[in-house]
Amino acid sequence: MKLNRNDVCHCGSGKKYKKCHLEEDEARVRERRSLATLAQWVAFHATGLRTAVREAARQAEPVQAAMAALGGDDALGTAIGEQIALFDVVVDERALIATAESADDLSGQRQDALRQALAQSWLSLHEVIECKPGKGVRLRDRLLERDRWVGDPELARTLEPMEVVLGRVVAFDKRNVLLEGYEKVWFRGRKAAIADLAALLAEAVAADPAAAVSPADEVAVAAPAVQAPAPVELEDEAEEEVEDAEGADDADAEEAADHTRAAAGEASPLVQTARVRWLKANAVQVVQRARAARP
Ligand SMILES: [Zn+2]
């Protein structure tokens, strides 16, 4: 709904719109028009959603406990701390981001999809497998052993092959976005950090796979408690995509689809689900261990 300059402002201050929020609203419209990439789009709208639930986060006990473990009062003010507070910590059976209402004019459906994508994301260690100048990067989630293509030219400039980042890849609109606020893991400590976390994760999932997956998956888990990693069945689209990439080095075709593909040694989907659950439940520990790799 469009307000006229002399109408009463929408914020409830009682002032005329032109003397209150008009300038701020116009700046936001300008900013929205300037969004050039999906990464910028996600960052822009995610900020709106995060602002809406930041206060609820501050008051929620499970969030307070997680932030205390992460590094005290100001942890919520850091990018990774805020992500954990809003996307990972379970408050009243769900992540706070799932309850966020943005004041933005993002359509309800898009807002739902974005909230869901953020709530389902997890922190992990991502190794840069490939940088394509002007195109993007291929990241390997080293805790899930899964590759994802992130079509963001800016990342191709700022990251280098073999680097490892602690961060969150959000799948939205069949594309992947590395969320702002990621941290590079100390280069010489990266292998130790990956080995340390991967061992911890494997132990946790192997010890109690049934507890780590939803009741619906339990039947499948029940038979052999820990299955040997099975070859993952790629969906038709993903399979075609692998062929495409092998045949012709067509980066544009690569960017057009959802880039998730199996890396060597990938575990079964069930084990992967269990790993994601563990990573979300233990996000604070993931950050602590990754940062401990620093001298
Ligand atoms: Zn106002």
Side-chain angles (χ1 to χ4, degrees), residues 178-209:
L178 176 63
L179 223 58
E180 57 182 357
Y182 64 84
E183 295 176 7
K184 289 187 184 181
V185 177
W186 182 54
F187 197 71
R188 281 164 65 188
R190 72 196 191 285
K191 284 182 183 165
I194 290 169
D196 175 43
L197 267 167
L200 200 67
L201 182 57
E203 202 179 305
V205 172
D208 197 1

Side-chain angles (χ1 to χ4, degrees), residues 39-144:
Q40 288 171 353
W41 189 94
V42 167
F44 177 83
H45 289 290
T47 303
L49 289 168
R50 295 201 305 258
T51 307
V53 281
R54 210 172 287 153
E55 201 46 46
R58 196 158 295 146
Q59 286 162 13
E61 260 175 56
V63 171
Q64 287 167 359
M67 294 303 107
L70 191 61
D73 291 345
D74 54 355
L76 192 53
T78 64
I80 283 190
E82 190 191 59
Q83 288 175 12
I84 290 174
L86 303 184
F87 309 162
D88 299 322
V89 175
V90 175
V91 180
D92 295 332
E93 297 179 5
R94 54 183 174 175
L96 283 170
I97 196 73
T99 65
E101 277 294 340
S102 171
D104 224 327
D105 61 359
L106 189 60
S107 85
Q109 219 178 2
R110 294 283 270 175
Q111 203 175 111
D112 277 351
L114 182 58
R115 276 194 308 220
Q116 218 169 51
L118 294 171
Q120 286 170 354
S121 68
W122 63 91
L123 269 174
S124 194
L125 295 175
H126 302 275
E127 183 175 346
V128 183
I129 299 297
E130 188 184 8
C131 284
K132 285 192 180 170
K135 300 280 184 189
V137 296
R138 183 171 304 285
L139 299 179
R140 179 164 299 165
D141 184 329
R142 290 304 310 269
L143 301 179
L144 262 69

Side-chain angles (χ1 to χ4, degrees), residues 14-289:
K15 292 187 205 165
K16 284 186 175 176
Y17 188 39
K18 66 182 178 189
K19 301 218 162 178
C20 196
H21 276 87
L22 175 65
E23 210 166 301
E24 197 181 312
D25 290 351
E26 284 180 349
R28 200 157 163 85
V29 168
R30 278 195 299 277
E31 196 186 342
R32 186 163 42 226
R33 283 196 188 126
S34 72
L35 303 176
T37 66
L38 179 66
Q40 288 171 353
W41 189 94
V42 167
F44 177 83
H45 289 290
T47 303
L49 289 168
R50 295 201 305 258
T51 307
V53 281
R54 210 172 287 153
E55 201 46 46
R58 196 158 295 146
Q59 286 162 13
E61 260 175 56
V63 171
Q64 287 167 359
M67 294 303 107
L70 191 61
D73 291 345
D74 54 355
L76 192 53
T78 64
I80 283 190
E82 190 191 59
Q83 288 175 12
I84 290 174
L86 303 184
F87 309 162
D88 299 322
V89 175
V90 175
V91 180
D92 295 332
E93 297 179 5
R94 54 183 174 175
L96 283 170
I97 196 73
T99 65
E101 277 294 340
S102 171
D104 224 327
D105 61 359
L106 189 60
S107 85
Q109 219 178 2
R110 294 283 270 175
Q111 203 175 111
D112 277 351
L114 182 58
R115 276 194 308 220
Q116 218 169 51
L118 294 171
Q120 286 170 354
S121 68
W122 63 91
L123 269 174
S124 194
L125 295 175
H126 302 275
E127 183 175 346
V128 183
I129 299 297
E130 188 184 8
C131 284
K132 285 192 180 170
K135 300 280 184 189
V137 296
R138 183 171 304 285
L139 299 179
R140 179 164 299 165
D141 184 329
R142 290 304 310 269
L143 301 179
L144 262 69
E145 294 303 341
R146 190 159 198 104
D147 283 9
R148 286 189 286 188
W149 170 258
V150 180
D152 183 348
E154 182 60 29
L155 288 178
R157 272 193 295 275
T158 50
L159 296 178
E160 286 177 31
M162 292 171 76
E163 276 186 322
V164 172
V165 298
L166 169 67
R168 203 178 276 271
V169 175
V170 174
F172 183 81
D173 233 10
K174 294 198 166 184
R175 292 180 186 232
N176 300 311
V177 173
L178 176 63
L179 223 58
E180 57 182 357
Y182 64 84
E183 295 176 7
K184 289 187 184 181
V185 177
W186 182 54
F187 197 71
R188 281 164 65 188
R190 72 196 191 285
K191 284 182 183 165
I194 290 169
D196 175 43
L197 267 167
L200 200 67
L201 182 57
E203 202 179 305
V205 172
D208 197 1
V213 299
S214 71
D217 299 331
E218 245 172 51
V219 183
V221 178
V226 184
Q227 295 168 325
V232 149
E233 278 182 37
L234 293 173
E235 286 172 15
D236 291 350
E237 193 181 285
E239 218 155 19
E240 275 168 24
E241 187 186 303
V242 172
E243 282 165 12
D244 280 348
E246 280 168 359
D249 186 20
D250 188 354
D252 290 333
E254 261 185 301
E255 280 168 39
D258 179 17
H259 282 272
T260 301
R261 86 167 63 149
E266 186 182 354
S268 72
L270 199 64
V271 170
Q272 293 223 4
T273 305
R275 286 179 181 172
V276 168
R277 275 168 200 256
W278 187 89
L279 286 171
K280 287 186 75 64
N282 294 275
V284 168
Q285 207 174 349
V286 173
V287 175
Q288 283 168 337
R289 299 248 177 169

Side-chain angles (χ1 to χ4, degrees), residues 9 11 13 20-21:
C9 186
C11 74
S13 66
C20 196
H21 276 87

